[in-house]
Amino acid sequence: MRAGPVARWMVVAVVAVSAAGLAPAPAAAGDPPAGSAATGRELFIGARPLSAGGAPCGACHALGGEGLAFTASLGPELSTGLTGMDPVALDGLLETLPFPSMTPVYEGHALTPGERADLAAFLLAAAPRGPPRGAWHREAWAAALAVALFLGLALAGRRRKLPSRARLVARAARPHGGSR
């Protein structure tokens, strides 16, 4: 069977790309599989549940530059710690989860290799954006609102009527006119 001009052109293109070093390098044996950042984002916020159960990362962690869905504050903000981390180290971190506060949440709910790859792809892409901007504005407004409500309740409490006993004692202490 003879190769047509299109088949020859494809062979030449593949050889040229390989020779120029533009072809993707084969993955090393220890490298984690490539993941989808979009799927990782869904896993992070809980739009897509983890296959073994467990809480989504975004229930506790904030991640910069991603909006209100990424401003939780129970765990640390992740963008500062993940900046510059290589995918193999992040995969190992997601596999073992060596943090005591995370052990009860994920014990028996291990992440699959695909979920780790997707989360790593998302986290490594989002980390350079930095910590959430403007999150302190919401916290400041919430604190100001709490103080205003407390002061309002304190002022309203001062206007309450005296208890019945105090009113009776006050009335008895007032001078009365003579008896008739």
Side-chain angles (χ1 to χ4, degrees), residues 33-138:
S36 163
T39 303
R41 184 179 201 276
E42 292 174 357
L43 290 169
F44 188 92
I45 62 173
R48 178 179 293 194
L50 299 171
S51 63
C57 309
C60 301
H61 295 283
L63 187 63
E66 290 293 324
L68 285 177
F70 299 87
T71 57
S73 61
L74 180 64
E77 197 280 325
L78 296 178
S79 65
T80 54
L82 295 176
T83 303
M85 184 177 277
D86 69 348
V88 176
L90 182 56
D91 184 66
L93 191 67
L94 291 172
E95 183 177 15
T96 59
L97 297 172
F99 309 104
S101 61
M102 292 176 69
T103 301
V105 176
Y106 290 101
E107 195 162 357
H109 305 288
L111 298 171
T112 65
E115 289 171 339
R116 291 194 317 262
D118 293 337
L119 283 168
F122 168 66
L123 292 171
L124 292 174
R129 296 183 196 134
R133 291 165 185 77
W136 69 272
H137 292 322
R138 288 183 293 281

